[in-house]
Amino acid sequence: MRPWRRGLVLTALALLLGLLMLFHAQVTDRGGLGSLVESFLPWFGLFIPVLLAGALWRRSASALVALLLPVVVWLSLFGGLLVDKSRPGSDLTVATHNVNADNADPAGTARDLAASGTDVLALEEITPQAKPLYEKGLAKAYPHHTVLGTVGLWSKLPLSDIRRVDIQQDVGPLGEAKPADVTLPDNRALRATVATDHGPLAVYVVHQGSVRLFPQGGFWTGSRDRGAQALAKAVAAERNERVVLLGDMNGTTDDRAFDGLTSQLDSAQDEAGDGFGFTWPAKFPVARIDQILVRGVEPRSAWTLPATGSDHLPVAAGISW
């Protein structure tokens, strides 16, 4: 019986790991703890080989058996991302990129994005200083474009019905009273219709509010969560059955804050990608916070584009009708 009595601490840790991943949605979100856990949920799998090594070193049969729980849970959550689900052929390619307000080479970033060959391109975090450089660098590849505040959409196909989307980034007693010309420079979401050969496609471009990790206050997500709820309502009210949402969501699709969106839209990366498709930070990506979500169209492929001068990686997807 000794192999079963060895490593009881390792056994308990293995069970706790499995239960944490299995019931991550029940972790309290006080101080943003639940969102923080879910943002990095795939990385909890790294504890499995550590615990396995400990179990083998201790020759603990109980720990080895207990490890089956986190292994099964992790594979059920993320095992599907370990295989390439992409398929050849698509009717339209779309891409999105947070170009970074501090990008030292916006002209070079524009050249790189134009060379990607995507049909529809969304940009976030466009500054007034960099806007002319993006417009000039993308003009030849994309004859149609719009920029509303800090977000923009470039397209090889005609655009229409362009309008701002209120994701409630400006709140408080004076928020709604401010005139449009005052709030436009800080606008972070837009909606447009792209005219395709298969009919109109509603495209949303979004840059959700930032999140912050404070030593005392925890993981602050108030602005982002408020924006996610407002965006979910806007998508629910969208009359076009074909929808593509492009943008920097400042969160992963595992995060409960986006349940209102992910219940309506599918992730192109989950449906047709190869791997996790992490996008941030660009030098060593640990989370996919830049998303392509769809409704009424079929993702055929999804991938990350090469790094630019931004701290985010661009992401792209091929879709079909």
Side-chain angles (χ1 to χ4, degrees), residues 23-30 32-39 224-225 228-229 252-262:
F23 297 107
H24 63 86
Q26 276 66 55
V27 175
T28 177
D29 206 30
R30 185 175 182 178
L33 179 61
S35 284
L36 185 62
V37 168
E38 289 166 337
S39 294
R224 184 205 65 182
D225 295 352
Q229 293 173 7
T252 72
T253 53
D254 295 312
D255 195 316
R256 67 192 69 182
F258 300 105
D259 286 351
L261 280 172
T262 54

Side-chain angles (χ1 to χ4, degrees), residues 206-260:
V206 183
H207 183 195
Q208 291 289 5
S210 299
V211 298
R212 296 288 185 267
L213 186 60
F214 297 110
Q216 294 182 339
F219 195 51
W220 182 80
T221 62
S223 175
R224 184 205 65 182
D225 295 352
R226 184 172 61 248
Q229 293 173 7
L231 184 60
K233 291 179 180 179
V235 172
E238 172 61 53
R239 295 184 177 182
N240 195 324
E241 65 178 16
R242 298 188 180 99
V243 176
V244 172
L245 189 153
L246 307 166
D248 174 7
M249 306 301 287
N250 270 313
T252 72
T253 53
D254 295 312
D255 195 316
R256 67 192 69 182
F258 300 105
D259 286 351

